[in-house]
Amino acid sequence: MTNRIPIDQIITEKHVPVPMRDGVTLYADIYRPDAPERHPVLLMRTPYNKADAQTMNYAHPSWYAQHGYVVIVQDTRGRWESEGEFQPYRTEAEDGYDTIEWAAGLPYALPKVGMYGFSYAAAVQWLAATSRPPHLTCIAPAMIGSDSYQGKTYRSGAFALASIQSWVLFVAQDTALRKGRTDWAAELGASLAGIHGVYRSLPLKRTAAIREELAPYYREWLEHPVRGPYWTVRSLRERYGAIEVPALHVGGWYDLFVDGTIENFNGVRAQGATAQARDNQYLIVEPWYHMPWSRYVGELDFGPEAANRIDRLQLEWFGRWLKEDASQWSGVAPVQYFVMGDNRWKQAEQWPPQSAAETPFYLRSASRANSVSGDGALTEEPPEAEHPDTFVYHPSIPVPALGGRSGAVPELTPMGPKNQLPVEVRNDVLVYTSVTLEEEVAVEGNVTVVLYAATTAEDTDFVVKLVDVHPDGRAYNVAEGIVRASFRHSLEHPQPVTPGEIVRYEIPLGPTAIVFKKRHAIRVDVTSSLFPTFDRNPNRFMPPGETTEADFATATQTVYHDRLHPSHVLLPIVRSAQETK
């Protein structure tokens, strides 16, 4: 680590103009050492107020400046002090390029630029990197996905209601104030305070709380409910081959973007434009949700090793690439991931870890698996002749999401590990639980459920959760997945289902790393709603933005588990050295 410069030797410049190629001026705050020598640049571009600089999760920019950097924090186009119109992601590649090259030319800056930030401030790093600015040297994107459709705005056809609506309401407040409409800003604040009422408002494309004048992109997103050119033009997964820089990827097991974060790591590692990029992708996965970053996540404490250490890691990362200090970031494994349950760190050469073996655990029941009071079981023995389980789903009484992978504010959206018993007592939740474990079961990798199911509707949703059952009965969600039945084959070409037909669904629950401890049990929950994480499927084949209560239909769902239809969860289990002998 470099010697820390005293705070009174840090110069702060506010509201510094940065010209863009189209004549728009963006504004930045600059923090730099008061010294004759030049220093490399750290750049954050944020729509969330440059004066804040995402300090909920990161150290203040002056702290980085004290370690020998010129730190520039910029309001993105149309946000806070910057000129222009806010159109999410639309001009971030060009604006990022122009800002990077402007920063590299500052008289007190070394022409080496690194970027950091999470969420939107991570997306702009990737978009800038795809435009290949000559002086961008490395990036450190945290908590961001790979695709603007899948995993962000939609997931397997279901609209990401809570994260999208809460985000739009939040960012629209600044837009209202920029227009001089303090009354609209006050309305938005009231809507955030009563957001669970907003979530139930239909139709979604005419949500009264979200004014078209403030957020026209919200309706656009609902008008494009399938993945196509509207989404792919700004998606990263098609553009890994344009990336030329090393990247430090930071994700969280309870973050809504965790699967996309890992996909970015693997994608650039395989397809990056240069050997330096391909050979210098690093992944760190914490047990966190979107924010804030802490050992305390939802209802669980993951211990001291889960404390926020990102600032120190970033100093090492930027020291390696911006200061060319070979002693920094030396001997680091490509993948570092936190194993929940054991609450410790592991390293690997890849994700998923090579040592994990997919092991099926089958859904079983003797009579009926409805609710935690039923007789649903989860076993390694496949079923033979068993009756299916049946439940009824009506969108007017959806199963509430308790915790999980949403974003971005825990007070507004369902996030993190929470006890699932309050929903597992419902008969419209099928509950399959293993026997009490006599030995630990280590799961490290991507979890998938194969579900054989039929519905009486032309479209519906199936939701699956992996749950860790503690000895006292508390049941904490580990991972979750959803599929909109009409999107079972394709994100681009949805098709209704045939009522009564048994369909094989593959439902990704995403990546995780957890040790199910002795005296715990492994559980799988199956239902048809996860509200408000996702919109309520009306059980009709129609665009989500157009649904009203008048469209709601009842669906009777049947989940099969017999020799011909062996519904199961595939757990990537890591066997101990003793077990493999």
Side-chain angles (χ1 to χ4, degrees):
M1 295 290 179
T2 56
N3 293 326
R4 188 165 173 178
I5 301 166
I7 189 67
D8 60 2
Q9 294 179 27
I10 299 301
I11 294 173
T12 301
E13 300 175 74
K14 297 284 189 178
H15 203 57
V16 178
V18 186
M20 297 294 106
R21 65 187 68 177
D22 61 354
V24 170
T25 299
L26 308 185
Y27 288 90
D29 294 342
I30 301 178
Y31 307 80
R32 60 185 177 89
D34 184 5
E37 64 266 25
R38 297 193 297 169
H39 296 87
V41 176
L42 291 184
L43 172 63
M44 174 187 286
R45 305 188 61 249
T46 175
Y48 304 125
N49 187 356
K50 61 184 172 60
D52 174 77
Q54 295 198 316
T55 51
M56 177 179 287
N57 288 338
Y58 297 108
H60 191 269
S62 60
W63 183 86
Y64 283 97
Q66 287 181 271
H67 288 87
Y69 293 95
V70 174
V71 185
I72 301 173
V73 186
Q74 181 189 66
D75 287 329
T76 55
R77 181 180 293 244
R79 301 295 297 163
W80 300 86
E81 292 184 345
S82 288
E83 295 176 358
E85 181 184 355
F86 179 56
Q87 298 177 310
Y89 312 106
R90 195 155 293 179
T91 62
E92 301 299 3
E94 298 84 357
D95 290 352
Y97 184 107
D98 293 350
T99 302
I100 290 163
E101 294 308 299
W102 169 86
L106 292 171
Y108 42 76
L110 287 172
K112 284 180 170 289
V113 180
M115 298 183 75
Y116 75 105
F118 80 101
S119 198
Y120 194 105
V124 300
Q125 296 176 55
W126 284 119
L127 290 167
T130 62
S131 68
R132 305 188 187 193
H135 293 101
L136 180 63
T137 304
C138 65
I139 59 177
M143 307 289 189
I144 194 59
S146 58
D147 189 60
S148 53
Y149 176 87
Q150 176 70 352
K152 178 187 175 291
T153 312
Y154 294 84
R155 184 171 291 276
S156 301
F159 182 63
L161 179 70
S163 62
I164 294 298
Q165 285 196 340
S166 63
W167 184 82
V168 170
L169 288 170
F170 174 73
V171 298
Q173 287 180 297
D174 176 59
T175 306
L177 292 172
R178 291 166 66 93
K179 292 178 178 292
R181 295 303 301 261
T182 55
D183 54 335
W184 288 359
E187 289 175 4
L188 290 163
S191 295
L192 282 166
I195 196 164
H196 291 281
V198 177
Y199 292 150
R200 299 192 75 92
S201 176
L202 294 174
L204 294 180
K205 69 178 182 181
R206 291 199 296 273
T207 301
I210 301 175
R211 292 181 177 271
E212 179 81 9
E213 303 95 321
L214 299 179
Y217 44 85
Y218 170 73
R219 178 174 287 197
E220 278 187 25
W221 295 346
L222 284 164
E223 288 173 346
H224 294 84
V226 302
R227 192 173 187 271
Y230 175 85
W231 299 104
T232 57
V233 69
R234 280 177 292 278
S235 285
L236 179 60
R237 61 164 52 149
E238 277 88 10
R239 304 170 76 180
Y240 293 136
I243 303 300
E244 299 178 336
V245 295
L248 173 61
H249 309 249
V250 178
W253 292 135
Y254 286 97
D255 182 47
L256 73 165
F257 296 126
V258 63
D259 46 355
T261 297
I262 293 174
E263 184 181 3
N264 291 340
F265 163 75
N266 284 325
V268 181
R269 206 179 186 199
Q271 303 171 36
T274 64
Q276 185 180 62
R278 293 190 297 273
D279 295 343
N280 291 285
Q281 301 298 308
Y282 291 86
L283 173 67
I284 297 174
V285 190
E286 305 273 0
W288 304 335
Y289 46 33
H290 202 63
M291 65 178 189
W293 300 346
S294 164
R295 61 185 281 179
Y296 308 104
V297 186
E299 296 177 3
L300 295 181
D301 174 6
F302 287 108
E305 290 196 40
N308 186 353
R309 60 193 180 117
I310 295 301
D311 292 306
R312 289 289 174 184
L313 288 171
Q314 289 193 156
L315 280 187
E316 295 178 13
W317 175 253
F318 292 126
R320 165 65 182 88
W321 297 107
L322 300 182
K323 296 185 178 181
E324 299 182 356
D325 182 352
S327 69
Q328 302 292 322
W329 209 260
S330 175
V332 178
V335 179
Q336 301 175 57
Y337 60 99
F338 190 90
V339 181
M340 300 179 290
D342 271 358
N343 293 351
R344 63 183 179 89
W345 286 93
K346 288 185 70 173
Q347 298 183 345
E349 293 297 314
Q350 63 182 40
W351 186 271
Q354 197 168 15
S355 57
E358 284 194 338
T359 305
F361 281 70
Y362 296 93
L363 279 55
R364 310 283 300 275
S365 71
S367 175
R368 53 192 297 273
N370 304 77
S371 88
V372 72
S373 302
D375 60 9
L378 193 67
T379 74
E380 291 190 75
E381 296 77 39
E384 286 295 332
E386 291 186 2
H387 293 290
D389 292 308
T390 301
F391 66 95
V392 173
Y393 159 61
H394 194 279
S396 63
I397 47 171
V399 176
L402 299 180
R405 290 171 174 161
S406 187
V409 181
E411 292 76 21
L412 303 178
T413 54
M415 292 164 56
K418 290 196 174 182
N419 186 6
Q420 300 300 300
L421 284 176
V423 297
E424 289 175 339
V425 297
R426 295 174 54 137
N427 273 342
D428 54 357
V429 179
L430 303 180
V431 179
Y432 302 92
T433 309
S434 74
V435 296
T436 300
L437 300 176
E438 296 181 358
E439 300 292 337
E440 294 181 346
V441 175
V443 173
E444 299 175 10
N446 303 320
V447 179
T448 302
V449 166
V450 175
L451 192 73
Y452 292 88
T455 179
T456 57
E458 61 183 4
D459 195 12
T460 195
D461 289 348
F462 288 103
V463 172
V464 183
K465 284 184 281 191
L466 178 66
V467 178
D468 178 16
V469 184
H470 289 222
D472 62 3
R474 288 174 299 144
Y476 289 104
N477 51 302
V478 174
E480 63 197 33
I482 188 170
V483 63
R484 186 142 293 178
S486 54
F487 286 78
R488 64 200 180 278
H489 299 310
S490 167
L491 299 179
E492 293 80 12
H493 305 289
Q495 299 175 329
V497 294
T498 301
E501 179 183 355
I502 302 175
V503 176
R504 182 185 187 273
Y505 297 96
E506 285 196 19
I507 307 175
L509 272 58
T512 194
I514 183 172
V515 173
F516 292 89
K517 308 293 282 185
K518 291 180 183 180
R519 299 191 299 115
H520 287 226
I522 304 171
R523 177 174 290 168
V524 169
D525 293 344
V526 179
T527 187
S528 283
S529 48
L530 193 66
F531 181 79
T533 300
F534 300 104
D535 68 311
R536 295 167 286 172
N537 193 318
N539 295 320
R540 296 189 187 279
F541 183 60
M542 61 186 303
E546 299 176 7
T547 297
T548 70
E549 287 85 350
D551 298 305
F552 286 177
T554 303
T556 299
Q557 322 287 47
T558 305
V559 172
Y560 293 82
H561 42 84
D562 54 48
R563 184 174 58 83
L564 295 178
H565 311 100
S567 295
H568 59 277
V569 58
L570 285 168
L571 296 180
I573 291 179
V574 177
R575 306 289 183 183
S576 68
Q578 272 189 322
E579 287 179 294
T580 56
K581 286 182 180 178

